[in-house]
Amino acid sequence: MSAEPEARTFRTIFISDVHLGSKAAKADFLIDFMRYHDAETYILVGDIIDGWRLKRSWHWPQSCNDVVQKLLRKARKGARIIYVPGNHDEFLRDFPGMHFGGIEVALNWIHEAADGKKYLVIHGDEFDIVVRNYRLLAYLGDWAYDAAILVNRGLAAVRRRLGLPYWSFSAWAKLQVKHAVNFIGEFQHFVAEEARRHKVDGVVCGHIHHAVMEDIEGIRYINTGDWVESCTAVVEHFDGTMELIHWTPASELVPKPKVLQLAARGEKAQAAEAA
């Protein structure tokens, strides 16, 4: 097992696609992440609350309350929290400029980093033609995604018992589909073009659950990923450097199976006898 991680403080933390209200949301992973990562500013890049799934069936365990309370507590302690809604929490788009418990709602945001570079912050669903023009198809895709997440859970349980690390079936399946890979590439291109139109240096977005940081024709493209599959966040250091963090709580790390530990001890004993 890994040693207890050290608490770290950043200038800014970007989080998206938590999907609170969905059974697939890893709210406990996010709570653990926030326990060891603090910031002066938090920017929530959409789909924090999953209104689509809550409309279908209500699912709001204590861990969802804990995430909300954790954010509100950070706001009370002086952190600035900006909420840029996505398509799953689009009900908040009716309240631009409003404050809820110290959390500011904005349709988009221009973030100026410590090094002077400016980033357009948007969720990104406005560049998803399925969400914009084929709402029913988007809902069907959402149901299919739920099914893939259920497969994930079963595989994760089996792999944990076998002493294997976490592996996301849904993320793997998505990247095996040619159309999905093409969609990700096109999405990144259009989002980068939107940043160029705003005359900024980069863009921070979410929506497609594909965490990455790369340069696209002179624009720094940053996708924060999600807290359903990858459990990722982007942090800004005090010098303006951006970092992508993949987070797994220490309780989820799989220790070496006992049978392998015993075998290793046996090999050591044989080596000692031979010496």
Side-chain angles (χ1 to χ4, degrees), residues 1-2 28-29 32 160 248-255:
M1 298 291 286
S2 296
D28 50 342
F29 279 44
D32 191 73
R160 193 179 300 115
T248 302
S251 60
E252 291 291 320
L253 296 176
V254 181

Side-chain angles (χ1 to χ4, degrees), residues 23-267:
K23 293 181 180 179
K26 290 189 171 67
D28 50 342
F29 279 44
L30 179 56
I31 292 166
D32 191 73
F33 171 83
M34 290 193 291
R35 187 177 295 126
Y36 298 105
H37 301 79
D38 202 3
E40 295 177 350
T41 301
Y42 291 81
I43 301 183
L44 310 178
V45 195
D47 285 2
I48 304 302
I49 298 172
D50 199 324
W52 288 14
R53 287 178 175 84
L54 289 174
K55 282 182 180 179
R56 296 208 303 263
S57 62
W58 187 261
H59 176 75
W60 194 265
Q62 184 58 43
S63 58
C64 293
N65 275 336
D66 292 343
V67 170
V68 174
Q69 290 301 321
K70 190 86 170 175
L71 290 168
L72 291 173
R73 194 176 303 119
K74 288 182 180 295
R76 288 196 299 270
K77 289 183 177 179
R80 187 177 190 186
I81 302 181
I82 299 154
Y83 196 143
V84 178
N87 52 305
H88 283 258
D89 46 19
E90 60 190 351
F91 57 89
L92 286 171
R93 288 176 170 165
D94 293 332
F95 305 99
M98 297 289 289
H99 287 64
F100 298 95
I103 298 177
E104 309 170 44
V105 178
L107 298 182
N108 56 54
W109 191 256
I110 300 296
H111 174 72
E112 185 170 353
D115 58 5
K117 291 181 179 178
K118 292 183 179 180
Y119 295 84
L120 172 66
V121 182
I122 53 175
H123 181 63
D125 60 287
E126 54 265 62
F127 299 98
D128 184 340
I129 190 171
V130 173
V131 170
R132 290 184 64 184
N133 300 320
Y134 302 96
R135 198 56 173 264
L136 178 59
L137 186 58
Y139 281 123
L140 290 173
D142 205 42
W143 291 333
Y145 187 69
D146 281 349
I149 292 298
L150 288 176
V151 174
N152 256 8
R153 287 183 178 180
L155 284 175
V158 172
R159 290 176 67 85
R160 193 179 300 115
R161 294 192 67 176
L162 294 175
L164 299 172
Y166 176 78
W167 176 75
S168 173
F169 164 78
S170 52
W172 172 83
K174 182 168 60 180
L175 292 177
Q176 303 311 304
V177 179
K178 183 178 179 181
H179 291 300
V181 174
N182 290 342
F183 166 75
I184 290 172
E186 291 177 4
F187 174 87
Q188 293 177 173
H189 172 76
F190 285 121
V191 170
E193 282 299 315
E194 181 69 4
R196 185 173 288 107
R197 192 175 69 82
H198 279 76
K199 299 181 179 179
V200 294
D201 303 287
V203 60
V204 180
C205 63
H207 185 56
I208 61 172
H209 296 204
H210 185 65
V212 68
M213 295 174 60
E214 61 183 60
D215 291 320
I216 300 177
E217 298 177 357
I219 295 293
R220 186 64 168 163
Y221 170 87
I222 300 174
N223 193 299
T224 56
D226 66 277
W227 289 86
V228 174
E229 297 173 298
S230 58
C231 295
T232 52
V234 170
V235 299
E236 179 202 354
H237 294 267
F238 286 96
D239 62 355
T241 303
M242 298 290 190
E243 178 187 356
L244 178 63
I245 296 178
H246 294 257
W247 188 251
T248 302
S251 60
E252 291 291 320
L253 296 176
V254 181
K256 186 182 292 186
K258 288 184 178 180
V259 65
L260 295 181
Q261 292 174 348
L262 291 172
R265 289 186 194 134
E267 290 172 0

